[in-house]
Amino acid sequence: MSDTPFGFGLPPEEPDNGDEGKKGGQGGQGGPANPFGFGSGLPGGADNPFAAMFGSMNPNDLGAAFQQLGQMLSYEGGPVNWDMAKDIARQTVAQGTADGTKDTSVGIAERSAVEEAVRLADHWLDGVTSLPSGATTAVAWSRAEWVEATLPVWKELVDPVAERVGAAMGNVLPEEMQAMAGPLLGMMRSMGGAMFGQQIGQAVGVLAGEVVGSTDIGLPLGPAGKAALLPLNIEGFGKDLGVPPDEVRLYLALREAAHTRLFAHVPWLRSHLFGAVEGYARGIKVDTSKLEDVVGQLDPSNPEQLQEALQGGMFQPQDTPEQKAALARLETALALVEGWVDAVVHEAAKPRLGSADAMRETMRRRRASGGPAEQTFATLIGLELRPRRLRDASRLWASLTDARGVDGRDGLWEHPDMLPTASDLDDPDGFVHREQLDFSEIDKMLGEAAEQQGKGTTERDDEGDEKK
């Protein structure tokens, strides 16, 4: 697990000169190694989020700076200023990626190519999984469109974390002093919402330059029923692979369509994953002693003061049994999702694409070298998706296909208690040949019992009406 989950700690050390001594980067992704950390990596090379808004803070800029500060302090919404997050994400996208690639609108030809790739991918998947297509539409997004479409899900993921941290700000003073300090605490909550908005917006903007679809992080970030690909990022992804662009697009369409099927037809899966994130957030503890010092010394005209305190490690989540259990559930579930997609896609692509093996290994190495999924989860909730678990899960799903067939393999998604556990990934053969409970019969019995109970209630109501 990451030493500084949620990014609330010291930012990674940045290289002093270009490519020399890249101490903070991971995998050459071009974005900050700690996108949610309160430190560098912001638009314009700023060292803190306020410099990104206030400029160089010379006397000529002070008026605009305090106007911006006033807007920040007037924010009265939730724990994250999502309007600010959206603006920062769009600004980051507009600046382009580290390799100089600028966002562009998606043309008609690109949209047609994506639609055709998803249609063909769905046709191929029909033969290797019993889950029907989950994509009612196929869309091609620009990076800016990806930001707009995924922000609602980021809000659902991040708000529980930010809410917990924000609640700590209201508990740093004795109760008898909290009423007197109301305006100050309100100001701190507004500033905290702005800081979260700055950092999340920056992280989402960086991710928009890397992701190739709506399911790169193993969660359904886009609207239900939409299989989405980003043509510009797909082009960058395949540039040095030596694989025809059409094959790259089709392979990534297979992955997107497979994810879409799984989340569309396993209704409990999404809430299971998001619930694990929320469960971890509920266990966060905050070092209130540092926060108390800040409250006592805060200068309202110096917003960078709170920024410096945040860099000092004010918010350090503490490992608790509940948090560890939540992370274990999430890590295992994500490994099973990614392993199933990996196995199913390879089964569909291997007979048809000469580059199937190379593309599969490229995706796995992308995970291992710290792609967007690993970086985002490691900094957001301290979770690192280990490639070993993904490979183990993929092997287990492949073994299940051989032993039980496609229907037997996919039938395990009917109920969460039927899925392999973390220990099963260590012993896949033991799980494959173990007798499985049939939860469909139990669900049927429970449904019939509920129906009979409902009929009984209706009959008693009818009798009561007749007596009246």
Side-chain angles (χ1 to χ4, degrees):
M1 199 169 81
S2 170
D3 292 334
T4 57
F6 299 95
F8 296 116
L10 291 174
E13 186 176 355
E14 294 294 332
D16 293 327
N17 182 22
D19 293 334
E20 283 188 24
K22 284 189 177 178
K23 302 172 185 177
Q26 295 186 40
Q29 295 294 319
N34 190 3
F36 287 93
F38 291 108
S40 58
L42 293 161
D47 290 332
N48 61 69
F50 299 99
M53 294 175 60
F54 296 162
S56 60
M57 292 297 288
N58 62 52
N60 294 329
D61 292 332
L62 285 178
F66 280 103
Q67 183 180 0
Q68 292 277 12
L69 178 59
Q71 293 174 356
M72 288 169 51
L73 298 182
S74 65
Y75 173 70
E76 297 180 352
V80 178
N81 188 330
W82 285 102
D83 289 336
M84 182 176 291
K86 178 179 176 180
D87 290 343
I88 294 297
R90 293 293 298 261
Q91 291 170 21
T92 304
V93 166
Q95 290 169 359
T97 52
D99 62 1
T101 304
K102 299 285 187 179
D103 192 24
T104 59
S105 299
V106 178
I108 295 177
E110 291 173 316
R111 294 187 188 279
S112 298
V114 166
E115 291 172 359
E116 176 61 22
V118 172
R119 185 197 64 77
L120 184 56
D122 254 339
H123 177 66
W124 289 0
L125 288 172
D126 285 338
V128 296
T129 174
S130 62
L131 299 180
S133 174
T136 56
T137 57
V139 294
W141 285 340
S142 66
R143 293 167 179 171
E145 288 172 324
W146 182 89
V147 168
E148 295 279 354
T150 62
L151 271 179
V153 180
W154 287 115
K155 184 177 188 297
E156 189 174 350
L157 277 172
V158 175
D159 268 353
V161 179
E163 183 70 46
R164 181 63 180 169
V165 173
M169 292 183 175
N171 298 325
V172 297
L173 295 178
E175 289 186 15
E176 61 272 15
M177 294 182 62
Q178 287 189 17
M180 298 174 58
L184 178 60
L185 294 176
M187 180 187 70
M188 290 186 65
R189 282 191 291 269
S190 296
M191 292 177 66
M195 286 185 174
F196 269 111
Q198 287 275 2
Q199 299 300 325
I200 294 165
Q202 168 66 14
V204 171
V206 170
L207 279 171
E210 300 173 340
V211 294
V212 294
S214 70
T215 56
D216 281 36
I217 67 168
L219 289 173
L221 293 179
K226 283 191 177 181
L229 295 175
L230 282 72
L232 180 61
N233 291 356
I234 290 176
E235 180 182 349
F237 175 85
K239 185 168 64 173
D240 299 322
L241 295 180
V243 177
D246 289 348
E247 286 197 22
V248 175
R249 185 191 306 111
L250 185 50
Y251 188 86
L252 297 178
L254 280 166
R255 289 183 54 83
E256 180 76 4
H259 276 104
T260 304
R261 285 181 182 231
L262 194 58
F263 285 109
H265 299 291
V266 183
W268 56 264
L269 183 57
R270 187 183 190 278
S271 60
H272 178 74
L273 293 169
F274 282 65
V277 176
E278 188 172 355
Y280 184 84
R282 284 196 300 268
I284 295 174
K285 307 297 181 183
V286 179
D287 185 352
T288 56
S289 63
K290 292 185 179 180
L291 191 54
E292 289 170 359
D293 292 339
V294 174
V295 171
Q297 303 173 16
L298 186 64
D299 179 0
S301 66
N302 184 10
E304 294 186 18
Q305 190 178 59
L306 185 55
Q307 161 72 19
E308 293 169 359
L310 290 167
Q311 285 183 331
M314 181 190 302
F315 305 125
Q316 290 294 335
Q318 300 174 7
D319 286 338
T320 65
E322 293 78 13
Q323 284 177 299
K324 289 180 179 178
L327 285 177
R329 288 197 306 272
L330 183 57
E331 183 178 33
T332 300
L334 285 170
L336 291 173
V337 168
E338 291 298 291
W340 183 88
V341 169
D342 180 82
V344 167
V345 167
H346 189 68
E347 188 177 352
K350 177 70 173 175
R352 300 175 173 94
L353 299 178
S355 61
D357 289 332
M359 292 290 293
R360 184 188 206 185
E361 191 59 32
T362 297
M363 293 301 299
R364 287 178 167 182
R365 289 183 179 180
R366 191 176 189 233
R367 293 284 196 183
S369 63
E374 286 72 31
Q375 289 183 11
T376 301
F377 273 110
T379 52
L380 179 61
I381 56 174
L383 173 70
E384 293 179 354
L385 294 177
R386 293 176 295 168
R388 180 179 68 84
R389 295 282 83 183
L390 298 181
R391 292 176 186 267
D392 289 346
S394 180
R395 283 195 294 268
L396 187 148
W397 288 118
S399 297
L400 283 168
T401 307
D402 294 338
R404 304 182 187 181
V406 168
D407 291 341
R409 177 200 65 198
D410 293 345
L412 294 178
W413 290 106
E414 291 179 3
H415 196 283
D417 290 341
M418 296 177 67
L419 286 178
T421 64
S423 60
D424 292 326
L425 295 181
D426 296 324
D427 181 24
D429 290 337
F431 179 83
V432 169
H433 298 292
R434 186 187 310 156
E435 289 293 329
Q436 297 294 307
L437 294 174
D438 187 355
F439 283 89
S440 62
E441 289 299 319
I442 297 177
D443 290 340
K444 181 180 179 182
M445 292 171 59
L446 291 174
E448 291 175 350
E451 184 178 348
Q452 290 298 323
Q453 184 178 6
K455 288 181 178 179
T457 301
T458 302
E459 291 173 356
R460 288 193 296 272
D461 291 342
D462 291 341
E463 291 175 359
D465 291 339
E466 290 176 2
K467 291 178 180 179
K468 290 179 183 179

